[in-house]
Amino acid sequence: MRIDVVSAQRLWFGPDDPVRAASAVAPFGDGWLIAQDDANHAAWWQPGTGSIERIRLLPPRDGLDLFADEDGTKRLKPDLEAACTVPDAGGDVVLLLGSGSLPPRSRGVLVRGSTDGCSVRSAELAPLYARVRDALGIDEVGLNLEGACVVGDRLRWFQRGHGATGIDSASVDLPLRDLVRAIEGDLHPGSIEVGEVRRYDLGGLGGLPLAITDAVVWHDGRILVSATAEDAPDAVADGPVAGSVLALLGATPDEVEVEILPLPEELSHRKVEGLALRGDAAAPRLLAVVDEDDPTVGSPAVELSLGTG
C-alpha cells in the first residue's frame, strides 16, 4: 500500500499559542477534536473556517491547566492519549481516555456536540484501569494505554509496548456502552468487564521495538495502527524517536499477520500519536497528528492518502 502526504500544517490557537503535544484525534462536528496530552483543554479544529477553539475537558489541577517537565509538573498532566467517536449516541460524541501511567491519568471524558456548542462530562476511572492492568498482567508503572477504536459494540483499548521493560503492545476489549455509562455516573467503573486480550509483535526500527500509539478500524475490517520506536526508560518518560510506521492488523484473533506500512519521509522520524479515518474505501485518507514533545511549537496535522501502487 502506498502512503502519500496530501497536506500538512502546524496547529495554533493564535500567535505564540500552540496546540501542543497532540496525542489523539477524532471527528467532531464539522472538524476534528484533538487532545493535548499535557493540557486540560482539547483543540476543536474546523478546517473549513480555519478556526481552532480551546475546549475545556478537565478542571485545573493544583491551579494549573498546562504541565511540563521543565517546571516539574509533568506528573500532574491528564495524559489523554485515546480519542474516538461514540456511534449511535444521538449526535457528535467523542470519548477521550487517559493513559493510566500515573494516578492523574486515569480519567475518561465525553464531549457532546450540539447546536449550542458542546458539553463535557468527565469521571475518575481508576478501578477500571486496575482491572485492565490485571488483565494485561502488568504492574502500575507499566500501564500506558495510548489508543482506542470502536469494534462493533466494544471498545478496543491498546497498551503501548515498552521494550526496555519487556512489555508487549497489547489490547483489551470493553463493552463501549458500559464505559459511557461509567463516565456518565450510571455505573461503577470497577464493574466493567475486561476481556479478549490480544498481543502484537510489530518488529522494530532503528534497533528499538515498535509500540502501538493509536488505532482506527480500516474499511475492510482490519485495524490500522500507528506505531513508534522510542528510546525511553519507562512508560512515563519521553526519549529519542527512531521513527514511526503504520501497520495493518488482522480483523480476528486468529489473524496474526501484521502488514507494516512505511510512512513518507515527512513523518517517518516523528512520533505519530493520533489517527482518524477520512474518505471512503474508494479514496481512503487518514488524518495523523504528531506529538513533537516541544510545548513551544504547534503540533503538525498531516492528511495522508492510502492506495495501491
Short mmCIF file of all heavy atoms in Angstrom, two decimals, residues 9-20 36 42-45 50-54 295-299:
data_model
loop_
_atom_site.label_atom_id
_atom_site.label_comp_id
_atom_site.label_asym_id
_atom_site.label_seq_id
_atom_site.Cartn_x
_atom_site.Cartn_y
_atom_site.Cartn_z
N GLN A 9 0.04 20.88 8.13
CA GLN A 9 0.14 22.20 8.74
C GLN A 9 0.32 22.06 10.25
O GLN A 9 -0.09 21.07 10.85
CB GLN A 9 -1.09 23.05 8.45
CG GLN A 9 -2.37 22.63 9.16
CD GLN A 9 -3.51 23.58 8.89
OE1 GLN A 9 -4.23 23.43 7.91
NE2 GLN A 9 -3.67 24.57 9.76
N ARG A 10 0.97 23.06 10.82
CA ARG A 10 1.06 23.13 12.28
C ARG A 10 -0.17 23.86 12.82
O ARG A 10 -0.66 24.80 12.20
CB ARG A 10 2.35 23.84 12.70
CG ARG A 10 3.61 23.01 12.42
CD ARG A 10 4.83 23.64 13.05
NE ARG A 10 6.02 22.85 12.80
CZ ARG A 10 6.42 21.83 13.56
NH1 ARG A 10 5.72 21.50 14.64
NH2 ARG A 10 7.52 21.15 13.27
N LEU A 11 -0.63 23.42 13.99
CA LEU A 11 -1.86 23.95 14.55
C LEU A 11 -1.56 24.91 15.69
O LEU A 11 -0.77 24.61 16.60
CB LEU A 11 -2.73 22.80 15.06
CG LEU A 11 -3.09 21.73 14.02
CD1 LEU A 11 -3.91 20.63 14.67
CD2 LEU A 11 -3.84 22.34 12.84
N TRP A 12 -2.22 26.08 15.64
CA TRP A 12 -2.05 27.12 16.65
C TRP A 12 -3.41 27.68 17.02
O TRP A 12 -4.25 27.92 16.15
CB TRP A 12 -1.18 28.27 16.11
CG TRP A 12 0.20 27.85 15.69
CD1 TRP A 12 0.56 27.23 14.53
CD2 TRP A 12 1.42 28.03 16.44
NE1 TRP A 12 1.92 27.01 14.51
CE2 TRP A 12 2.47 27.49 15.66
CE3 TRP A 12 1.71 28.61 17.68
CZ2 TRP A 12 3.79 27.51 16.09
CZ3 TRP A 12 3.02 28.63 18.11
CH2 TRP A 12 4.05 28.07 17.33
N PHE A 13 -3.63 27.91 18.32
CA PHE A 13 -4.83 28.63 18.75
C PHE A 13 -4.74 30.10 18.33
O PHE A 13 -5.74 30.74 18.05
CB PHE A 13 -4.98 28.55 20.27
CG PHE A 13 -5.27 27.17 20.79
CD1 PHE A 13 -4.32 26.45 21.48
CD2 PHE A 13 -6.52 26.59 20.60
CE1 PHE A 13 -4.58 25.19 21.98
CE2 PHE A 13 -6.80 25.32 21.09
CZ PHE A 13 -5.83 24.62 21.78
N GLY A 14 -3.53 30.63 18.35
CA GLY A 14 -3.27 32.02 17.99
C GLY A 14 -1.77 32.25 18.03
O GLY A 14 -0.98 31.32 18.28
N PRO A 15 -1.32 33.47 17.78
CA PRO A 15 0.12 33.75 17.82
C PRO A 15 0.74 33.36 19.17
O PRO A 15 0.19 33.69 20.22
CB PRO A 15 0.18 35.27 17.60
CG PRO A 15 -1.09 35.59 16.88
CD PRO A 15 -2.13 34.65 17.41
N ASP A 16 1.84 32.63 19.10
CA ASP A 16 2.55 32.19 20.30
C ASP A 16 1.68 31.35 21.23
O ASP A 16 1.93 31.28 22.44
CB ASP A 16 3.11 33.39 21.08
CG ASP A 16 4.07 34.23 20.26
OD1 ASP A 16 4.89 33.63 19.52
OD2 ASP A 16 3.98 35.47 20.32
N ASP A 17 0.66 30.70 20.68
CA ASP A 17 -0.25 29.87 21.47
C ASP A 17 -0.47 28.55 20.73
O ASP A 17 -1.47 28.37 20.03
CB ASP A 17 -1.57 30.61 21.68
CG ASP A 17 -2.48 29.93 22.69
OD1 ASP A 17 -2.05 28.94 23.31
OD2 ASP A 17 -3.63 30.39 22.84
N PRO A 18 0.47 27.60 20.85
CA PRO A 18 0.41 26.39 20.04
C PRO A 18 -0.58 25.35 20.56
O PRO A 18 -0.86 25.28 21.76
CB PRO A 18 1.84 25.84 20.14
CG PRO A 18 2.31 26.31 21.49
CD PRO A 18 1.69 27.67 21.68
N VAL A 19 -1.11 24.55 19.65
CA VAL A 19 -1.73 23.28 20.02
C VAL A 19 -0.57 22.34 20.31
O VAL A 19 0.17 21.95 19.40
CB VAL A 19 -2.63 22.73 18.89
CG1 VAL A 19 -3.18 21.37 19.27
CG2 VAL A 19 -3.75 23.71 18.59
N ARG A 20 -0.37 21.99 21.56
CA ARG A 20 0.86 21.32 21.97
C ARG A 20 0.60 19.84 22.28
O ARG A 20 -0.48 19.44 22.69
CB ARG A 20 1.43 22.01 23.22
CG ARG A 20 0.38 22.46 24.21
CD ARG A 20 0.90 23.40 25.25
NE ARG A 20 1.53 22.70 26.35
CZ ARG A 20 2.30 23.28 27.28
NH1 ARG A 20 2.54 24.58 27.20
NH2 ARG A 20 2.83 22.58 28.26
N GLN A 36 -4.57 17.32 23.72
CA GLN A 36 -3.21 17.71 24.06
C GLN A 36 -2.86 16.95 25.34
O GLN A 36 -3.51 17.16 26.37
CB GLN A 36 -3.12 19.21 24.32
CG GLN A 36 -3.63 20.09 23.20
CD GLN A 36 -3.61 21.56 23.60
OE1 GLN A 36 -2.69 22.29 23.28
NE2 GLN A 36 -4.62 21.98 24.33
N ALA A 42 -8.81 20.54 25.03
CA ALA A 42 -8.63 19.99 23.69
C ALA A 42 -8.70 21.13 22.68
O ALA A 42 -9.11 22.25 23.00
CB ALA A 42 -9.70 18.95 23.39
N ALA A 43 -8.30 20.83 21.46
CA ALA A 43 -8.40 21.79 20.37
C ALA A 43 -9.47 21.32 19.40
O ALA A 43 -9.41 20.19 18.91
CB ALA A 43 -7.06 21.91 19.64
N TRP A 44 -10.48 22.17 19.16
CA TRP A 44 -11.50 21.87 18.16
C TRP A 44 -11.12 22.61 16.89
O TRP A 44 -11.28 23.83 16.78
CB TRP A 44 -12.87 22.29 18.66
CG TRP A 44 -13.99 21.93 17.71
CD1 TRP A 44 -13.93 21.12 16.62
CD2 TRP A 44 -15.35 22.37 17.80
NE1 TRP A 44 -15.16 21.03 16.02
CE2 TRP A 44 -16.06 21.79 16.72
CE3 TRP A 44 -16.02 23.21 18.69
CZ2 TRP A 44 -17.40 22.04 16.51
CZ3 TRP A 44 -17.38 23.44 18.48
CH2 TRP A 44 -18.05 22.85 17.40
N TRP A 45 -10.60 21.85 15.93
CA TRP A 45 -10.09 22.41 14.68
C TRP A 45 -11.16 22.25 13.61
O TRP A 45 -11.62 21.13 13.34
CB TRP A 45 -8.81 21.69 14.28
CG TRP A 45 -8.24 22.10 12.97
CD1 TRP A 45 -8.25 23.34 12.40
CD2 TRP A 45 -7.54 21.26 12.04
NE1 TRP A 45 -7.61 23.33 11.19
CE2 TRP A 45 -7.16 22.07 10.94
CE3 TRP A 45 -7.20 19.91 12.03
CZ2 TRP A 45 -6.47 21.55 9.85
CZ3 TRP A 45 -6.50 19.39 10.94
CH2 TRP A 45 -6.14 20.22 9.87
N GLY A 50 -11.00 27.52 9.28
CA GLY A 50 -9.65 27.79 9.77
C GLY A 50 -9.58 28.06 11.25
O GLY A 50 -8.50 28.34 11.78
N SER A 51 -10.70 27.96 11.96
CA SER A 51 -10.70 28.27 13.40
C SER A 51 -10.24 27.08 14.23
O SER A 51 -10.49 25.92 13.87
CB SER A 51 -12.08 28.72 13.85
OG SER A 51 -12.99 27.63 13.83
N ILE A 52 -9.57 27.36 15.33
CA ILE A 52 -9.19 26.35 16.31
C ILE A 52 -9.61 26.87 17.68
O ILE A 52 -9.09 27.89 18.16
CB ILE A 52 -7.68 26.05 16.29
CG1 ILE A 52 -7.25 25.58 14.89
CG2 ILE A 52 -7.33 24.99 17.32
CD1 ILE A 52 -5.78 25.26 14.76
N GLU A 53 -10.56 26.17 18.29
CA GLU A 53 -11.16 26.62 19.54
C GLU A 53 -10.68 25.75 20.70
O GLU A 53 -10.58 24.52 20.57
CB GLU A 53 -12.68 26.54 19.42
CG GLU A 53 -13.44 26.99 20.64
CD GLU A 53 -14.94 26.86 20.46
OE1 GLU A 53 -15.38 26.64 19.31
OE2 GLU A 53 -15.67 26.98 21.47
N ARG A 54 -10.40 26.36 21.81
CA ARG A 54 -9.99 25.63 23.01
C ARG A 54 -11.24 25.14 23.75
O ARG A 54 -12.13 25.93 24.07
CB ARG A 54 -9.14 26.54 23.90
CG ARG A 54 -8.48 25.84 25.06
CD ARG A 54 -7.61 26.79 25.86
NE ARG A 54 -6.24 26.86 25.35
CZ ARG A 54 -5.73 27.87 24.68
NH1 ARG A 54 -6.47 28.92 24.40
NH2 ARG A 54 -4.47 27.84 24.28
N PRO A 295 6.64 22.06 23.87
CA PRO A 295 5.45 22.88 24.11
C PRO A 295 5.47 24.24 23.45
O PRO A 295 4.51 24.99 23.56
CB PRO A 295 5.44 23.01 25.64
CG PRO A 295 6.87 22.88 26.04
CD PRO A 295 7.46 21.89 25.08
N THR A 296 6.54 24.58 22.74
CA THR A 296 6.64 25.91 22.12
C THR A 296 6.23 25.92 20.66
O THR A 296 6.18 26.99 20.05
CB THR A 296 8.08 26.45 22.23
OG1 THR A 296 8.95 25.66 21.41
CG2 THR A 296 8.57 26.42 23.67
N VAL A 297 5.94 24.74 20.08
CA VAL A 297 5.60 24.69 18.65
C VAL A 297 4.23 24.05 18.46
O VAL A 297 3.79 23.22 19.26
CB VAL A 297 6.66 23.91 17.84
CG1 VAL A 297 8.02 24.55 17.96
CG2 VAL A 297 6.73 22.46 18.28
N GLY A 298 3.55 24.47 17.38
CA GLY A 298 2.26 23.88 17.07
C GLY A 298 2.40 22.45 16.58
O GLY A 298 3.30 22.13 15.79
N SER A 299 1.53 21.58 17.05
CA SER A 299 1.57 20.18 16.63
C SER A 299 1.18 20.05 15.16
O SER A 299 0.22 20.67 14.71
CB SER A 299 0.62 19.35 17.47
OG SER A 299 1.00 19.34 18.82
#
